[in-house]
Amino acid sequence: MRNVIIIGSGCAGNTAAVYAARANLKPLVVEGVEVGGQLSLTTMVENFPGFPEGIMGPELVGNIKKQAERFGAEYRGGEVTAADLSRRPFRITLDNNEVVETRTLIIASGASARWLGIESEQKLIGHGVSSCATCDGFFYRGRPVMVVGGGDSAMEEATFLTKFASEVTICHRRDQFRASKIMLDRARKNETIKWLPNTVVDEVHDVAKGEVTGVRLRDVTNGRQWDQPVDGLFLAIGHIPNTKVFRGQLELDPDGYIISKGGAKTNIPGVFHAGDVQDRHYRQAITAAGAGCMAAIEAERFLEAEGH
Ligand code: NAP
């Protein structure tokens, strides 16, 4: 029997682990498929307080893990495949079919990349279609690529890709960008970046060849379609919360985000949330870390009130 199981190893999960471990609760962290969460896929983090020169995302999240392990947190690779929250202790099934019981649960399972959902895109994932410029940008040295999206991720990925690609086109479905001014300005100043506002991707070529050779685009203002050759297509169109195993048990909003009952509480006593799995507004490393801290403190108080 565990006092605390933490699902997820991003900034939220690892920070929850630091606090829970320091409170002597010996937490078990189930790392999930994206070990280190979204920070492990990013480059320089310039806005995490305490690092005036910035810090690389993987280093930041790795350091938090080391800190948690120093206080006795235990980490396990793999995924949670099922969760029974209908009675206490909660029962968590891991992907090797092992079932672990726990008095409290902190869900910090984050959110995964959203795709356009068109058939040709799905078929070419890993063959020119990517959701991670940091992971795959290197392969596009001297080649033209396209980034889809109008948020900070799209600006960051496009700017990063200019280090490798011959040309980077940002394709966005509106002419207004939700990216922050600083990120938008940085991208606008970069002459390698070309802009296609009011444009959507209707199809990715070339499924028959098994690799991306271009895209069929559409101007949403007049319906005009045309083809543009690109070797890489990077999706930066937001994320979907990882809450599938909790459907029907936890209160979720229509998009699948956990509905908070105040602080880090969910609708089930003893189950707490932290980070992007609940937060669709801020989604920053520092807010995720703060949420992880809150969840661990709530779990500690819950256990104390129950006499553990
Ligand atoms: P986001 O802000 O939700 O932006 C998603 C973008 O994708 C929007 O421009 C949206 O268009 C577009 N989009 C969504 N679904 C689409 C679809 N089906 N087809 C075409 N376009 C679609 O997501 P994000 O850029 O990943 O940013 C998420 C959060 O992380 C934000 O809070 C951001 O500030 C933060 N972030 C920060 C940094 C940094 O500070 N270094 C870097 C990256 C992200 P519409 O605008 O039309 O809805």
Side-chain angles (χ1 to χ4, degrees), residues 107 109-110 240-247 250 252 255-258 277-278:
I107 302 172
S109 47
I240 297 170
N242 295 317
T243 49
K244 207 165 71 187
V245 296
F246 307 112
R247 259 186 228 152
L250 275 185
L252 307 176
D255 294 328
Y257 286 91
I258 294 175
V277 73
Q278 177 272 326

Side-chain angles (χ1 to χ4, degrees), residues 44 47 114-116 148-154 156 172-174 176 178 183 200 236-239 281-284:
M44 188 56 85
N47 50 12
R114 183 192 303 279
W115 301 98
L116 294 172
V148 182
D152 281 340
S153 295
E156 186 175 69
H172 179 39
R173 63 185 178 183
R174 297 189 293 145
Q176 299 293 311
R178 67 172 72 224
M183 307 277 282
V200 293
I237 59 171
H239 290 84
H281 296 292
Y282 302 106
R283 296 183 289 186
Q284 302 297 302

